[in-house]
Amino acid sequence: MSKKGVLLTGAHFMNGDIACAEGAIVAGCRFFAGYPITPATEIAEHLSERMPEIGRIYIQMEDEIASIAAVIGASYAGLKAMTATSGPGFSLMQENIGLAIMTETPCVIVDIMRGGPSTGQPTMPGQQDVMQARWGSHGDYEIIALAPSSVQEMFDLTIDAFNLAETYRVPTLLLADEIVAHMWEKIVIPTAEKIRIVNRKKPNVSPEEYLPFMPDDLVPPMACFGEGYRFHATGLTHDEHGYPKTSSSEVQERLVKRLCEKIRRNEDKIMRVEEVMLDDADVVVVAYGIVARAALSAVRKAREMGIKAGLLRLITLWPFPQNHVAKIAGSAKRIIVPEMNCGQLVREVERAAKETSVVFLSKLGEEPHTPMEILEAIRRNS
Amino acid sequence: MVQETVHPLSKYLREAMIPHIWCTGCGNGVILNCFVQAVDELEMDLDKLVVVSGIGCIGRAAGYTNADSFHTTHGRSLAFATGAKLANPELNVVVISGDGDLFAIGGNHFIHAARRNIGVKVICANNFNYGMTGGQQGPTTPLEASTTTTPYGNIEHPFNLVHLAAASGATYVARWTTLHVRRLTQSIKRMLQKEGFCFIEVISPCPEIFGRRNKMRTGLEMMDWFKRASVVENFSDPSKAEISTEKLIVGEFVNTEKVSYEKFLHEKISQINEKRVGW
């Protein structure tokens, strides 16, 4: 695969981690910092070979805290940057994810979810970091998290993650499970003209006039180090100059609300779902990641059996597509939520579904729900 | 008419951020002054200078400097600086931070940045305690010293920062006190012109928080200690660089040449690409 340039247009047989790495390259990622951790290591290994040969930077840092800090530094120095990890490393990154939120640093964090808590099951799949992705760092914020269901989506959504990060100046998460990351599938890498790449908005004023945190349509244009703007950025509550204003309730409110609003007001542009046979569905399965593949199979089988089943596959987990769930809750009798955890996203589904009853299917340990298990739940609830 | 006078170094400061937050008798202003003096004497391009700091009193120095600056989370300044320097090796990346930030919570990043020899320059203000949070014991607090968390005297052995930096691979290692204004400025100038990872420890008075619990109630008394006890021993063994009430060994301990991480990396990238077919 090496020594072929940036864009490997064509059909390939790849695993999800490698597809993610290739997606990052295509998206314009010029800096990767990481620390070995199963099941995300292959992303680092692949980029350690690919990045230097296309003149880009790979560095292994001393831990995950350093990895995300280096990514923020590289992004502020002008490069698109990414790190990749799994649960334990994702926990270590949380404080600096907050720094990236507060300093509005475009960057991508890949979390390949394994079984937890703690060291848990390093080689087994999980969907247990969904709430950590949303609330892992302290304080109030909004974040973007995408959940791929296939190797193709590991490629496609990594590009989307970079585009969203650059558009909204926000750390963007790719929340994949171990199966999607380690599974080998055919993927098709398109030609350059079919790939949309977004770059951060740059200031169009002189350094004297530039205010680094003055929003233009909620998102401030971003100068980078060395461009002559001589700006200051801090994790402290700051005004539009970037200067600390830690005792002002007005500045705190203006800043933190804007950090949330820039995502909330653009939810419709950010959110993506896949709707399968929802129009007349009595029973709807809401699923994401690898579990959605089993759910799709179960829904098709249920239809063959004459049950009006449908699938709402969540591609964007955060911001949570609550309008899509509310819409199906208005017509369906039951919603079934299979997750590889003890009940995380199901709570958001329940909130959005209001009166419609929601059935939760938990699975932990080794493998995701089988199509038969989900089909059985559909049959019981139809 | 009284003519308005402008301090010759004020162009290096972000005046909108000043007055600073530092206490009377604090040494941080001296350190910042020596740093911008060195930048001035070297005629450095401010547009290519990035000052990075962590959390703590001296952490505000980044914001006071009229260059690109970033105030990171506690302990992470060196990891951030590593990313920035690698991403754009043309930048002069300087970390100005404290002993607690760089050697307790950030200790792991320090040894690895030095080991890698990333071309980042570090100025560490060592005031022997956590000043910002009110004077707790830290990794450089002397044995038996009184702090707000060692009311019966400190029982932890402190780090010898210059020994640690030298052992970790820094290509330039020096220690001064805030009394050694000229030597410190010259030392910063030397460091800023070097390629690899460089480290200067500046022993700095903290009378309000540390000194008054340790029989040095004023900045003057602390400076008097520096004056009385300091001995310049250039290129002496850093492992024997004592800090005590009787003796304060200062000077340059290491000044060597070693290819920097970023240079090594970019040479490697060129080599790989030369071998490539059809690039």
Side-chain angles (χ1 to χ4, degrees):
Chain A
M1 171 151 331
S2 60
K3 302 188 187 325
K4 287 180 187 166
V6 171
L7 182 64
L8 312 180
T9 300
H12 300 269
F13 189 57
M14 267 185 199
N15 80 21
D17 277 339
I18 294 173
C20 167
E22 288 297 332
I25 288 169
V26 172
C29 176
R30 290 177 183 276
F31 184 94
F32 178 90
Y35 185 82
I37 186 166
T38 307
T41 309
E42 291 90 335
I43 298 173
E45 285 178 339
H46 189 71
L47 287 173
S48 75
E49 183 185 352
R50 286 283 279 141
M51 294 291 259
E53 71 177 15
I54 51 173
R56 302 184 187 181
I57 295 159
Y58 165 88
I59 183 171
Q60 182 170 314
M61 295 299 287
E62 53 273 17
D63 57 28
E64 288 88 348
I65 302 173
S67 301
I68 178 75
V71 159
I72 297 169
S75 183
Y76 258 90
L79 301 189
K80 290 187 185 177
M82 178 174 99
T83 185
T85 188
S86 185
F90 191 48
S91 295
L92 285 177
M93 289 182 185
Q94 292 303 327
E95 189 197 10
N96 278 334
I97 290 174
L99 178 66
I101 295 274
M102 195 62 149
T103 55
E104 303 184 64
T105 310
C107 59
V108 172
I109 299 135
V110 180
D111 175 23
I112 309 294
M113 293 183 285
R114 60 195 225 184
S118 189
T119 316
Q121 294 181 296
T123 62
M124 296 297 162
Q127 292 180 323
Q128 294 177 301
D129 301 351
V130 172
M131 282 297 167
Q132 181 175 223
R134 176 63 187 87
W135 297 110
S137 199
H138 56 279
D140 280 304
Y141 59 90
E142 292 285 339
I143 202 157
I144 301 174
L146 310 177
S149 279
S150 63
V151 173
Q152 183 70 49
E153 279 193 342
M154 286 293 280
F155 178 86
D156 296 341
L157 295 187
T158 301
I159 299 173
D160 289 351
F162 272 98
N163 289 345
L164 290 164
E166 294 284 319
T167 303
Y168 299 107
R169 283 189 68 175
V170 66
T172 301
L173 311 174
L174 189 78
L175 266 190
D177 51 75
E178 179 272 343
I179 298 178
V180 167
H182 277 165
M183 183 166 58
W184 288 75
E185 285 187 310
K186 180 188 170 184
I187 82 159
V188 177
I189 297 181
T191 52
E193 56 272 18
K194 293 205 172 125
I195 298 170
R196 183 172 159 264
I197 305 290
V198 178
N199 296 313
R200 62 192 70 169
K201 196 162 47 181
K202 302 297 292 180
N204 57 7
V205 295
S206 68
E208 292 71 33
E209 292 168 294
Y210 179 59
L211 294 177
F213 295 95
M214 178 63 84
D216 167 14
D217 197 12
L218 293 169
V219 182
M222 185 173 181
C224 291
F225 295 157
E227 293 176 346
Y229 287 88
R230 293 193 210 165
F231 62 90
H232 182 59
T234 173
L236 290 168
T237 293
H238 47 271
D239 62 14
E240 286 71 14
H241 291 87
Y243 299 163
K245 290 282 180 295
T246 57
S247 310
S248 163
S249 55
E250 189 200 326
V251 173
Q252 166 77 354
E253 187 144 327
R254 194 165 71 227
L255 173 64
V256 178
K257 287 200 168 156
R258 180 176 63 76
L259 294 180
C260 292
E261 288 302 312
K262 71 178 178 179
I263 304 300
R264 287 179 186 167
R265 288 208 208 153
N266 289 296
E267 278 180 354
D268 290 345
K269 288 185 211 155
I270 297 167
M271 272 181 215
R272 281 178 55 201
V273 298
E274 183 186 354
E275 296 174 322
V276 184
M277 294 180 278
L278 289 182
D279 290 346
D280 61 341
D282 292 328
V283 185
V284 175
V285 183
V286 177
Y288 56 94
I290 190 65
V291 179
R293 305 266 294 255
L296 178 63
S297 176
V299 164
R300 284 188 180 141
K301 283 199 173 67
R303 285 277 171 175
E304 283 168 21
M305 292 163 68
I307 302 169
K308 287 181 179 171
L311 170 68
L312 178 67
R313 180 167 78 88
L314 307 180
I315 298 169
T316 312
L317 298 189
W318 305 116
F320 182 72
Q322 59 182 29
N323 293 341
H324 295 271
V325 175
K327 198 172 91 187
I328 56 161
S331 56
K333 292 181 190 125
R334 286 279 168 84
I335 297 173
I336 298 172
V337 183
E339 287 187 273
M340 282 189 286
N341 56 43
C342 294
Q344 295 200 11
L345 213 62
V346 65
R347 298 181 189 197
E348 293 296 318
V349 175
E350 283 168 348
R351 240 159 38 129
K354 297 207 168 76
E355 306 298 310
T356 306
S357 85
V358 176
V359 177
F360 175 58
L361 289 184
S362 172
K363 189 136 186 193
L364 295 175
E366 188 185 343
E367 55 183 21
H369 310 67
T370 63
M372 289 310 288
E373 285 167 338
I374 299 171
L375 178 63
E376 179 56 24
I378 293 172
R379 208 186 48 74
R380 271 201 318 269
N381 289 287
S382 64
Chain B
M1 277 279 282
V2 180
Q3 253 194 328
E4 196 186 346
T5 53
V6 178
H7 192 282
L9 296 177
S10 64
K11 64 178 171 184
Y12 297 103
L13 299 176
R14 210 174 251 136
E15 291 188 56
M17 296 266 282
I18 292 169
H20 60 68
I21 63 162
W22 298 323
C23 307
T24 306
C26 173
N28 287 343
V30 176
I31 297 169
L32 183 59
N33 193 353
C34 292
F35 171 63
V36 296
Q37 182 72 45
V39 168
D40 183 64
E41 289 177 22
L42 290 174
E43 297 177 357
M44 285 175 79
D45 181 359
L46 281 178
D47 287 346
K48 298 291 172 200
L49 178 66
V50 181
V51 183
V52 183
S53 68
I55 301 297
C57 302
I58 190 77
R60 297 300 183 96
Y64 298 152
T65 313
N66 187 21
D68 286 327
S69 57
F70 198 101
H71 185 209
T72 70
T73 43
H74 198 17
R76 315 308 167 199
S77 53
L78 268 170
F80 176 94
T82 299
K85 179 69 182 173
L86 264 184
N88 184 356
E90 282 182 11
L91 299 172
N92 291 302
V93 182
V94 179
V95 167
I96 303 179
S97 215
D99 51 302
D101 185 80
L102 287 167
F103 291 96
I105 190 164
N108 198 32
H109 308 310
F110 183 88
I111 57 173
H112 289 283
R115 174 182 63 79
R116 266 182 215 114
N117 199 28
I118 184 83
V120 169
K121 321 298 168 197
V122 184
I123 298 171
C124 171
N126 178 4
N127 65 357
F128 306 114
N129 78 134
Y130 287 90
M132 182 72 100
T133 45
Q136 295 76 32
Q137 178 266 353
T140 55
T141 305
L143 274 176
E144 294 293 354
S146 176
T147 71
T148 56
T149 50
T150 54
Y152 310 109
N154 179 31
I155 56 168
E156 290 192 18
H157 295 273
F159 268 141
N160 173 348
L161 302 184
V162 291
H163 182 36
L164 181 64
S168 302
T171 60
Y172 182 84
V173 179
R175 174 196 285 157
W176 304 103
T177 77
T178 54
L179 186 79
H180 300 88
V181 174
R182 288 203 182 86
R183 284 188 168 104
L184 173 59
T185 306
Q186 292 312 307
S187 191
I188 295 171
K189 278 172 69 179
R190 220 159 289 150
M191 167 172 93
L192 290 173
Q193 294 173 90
K194 286 187 66 74
E195 182 185 316
F197 185 86
C198 298
F199 174 69
I200 299 175
E201 173 186 8
V202 190
I203 294 174
S204 179
C206 179
E208 283 292 323
I209 311 287
F210 179 78
R212 68 189 169 96
R213 294 188 177 85
N214 292 281
K215 297 178 182 145
M216 291 177 280
R217 300 195 74 85
T218 64
L220 192 63
E221 282 172 87
M222 295 206 77
M223 293 290 264
D224 195 49
W225 165 41
F226 300 166
K227 190 178 174 201
R228 182 170 43 77
S230 291
V231 185
V232 180
E233 288 185 12
N234 282 323
F235 301 105
S236 63
D237 181 352
S239 73
K240 297 191 174 65
E242 181 181 333
I243 296 179
S244 69
T245 44
E246 294 77 37
K247 202 168 183 187
L248 253 171
I249 295 179
V250 296
E252 285 183 338
F253 298 92
V254 176
N255 190 353
T256 58
E257 298 301 327
K258 192 162 63 173
V259 64
S260 68
Y261 181 94
E262 64 276 13
K263 198 170 169 193
F264 208 160
L265 176 72
H266 287 282
E267 277 171 9
K268 206 75 170 169
I269 288 173
S270 316
Q271 282 168 16
I272 295 163
N273 288 321
E274 274 165 24
K275 282 187 218 148
R276 289 186 48 159
V277 183
W279 172 256

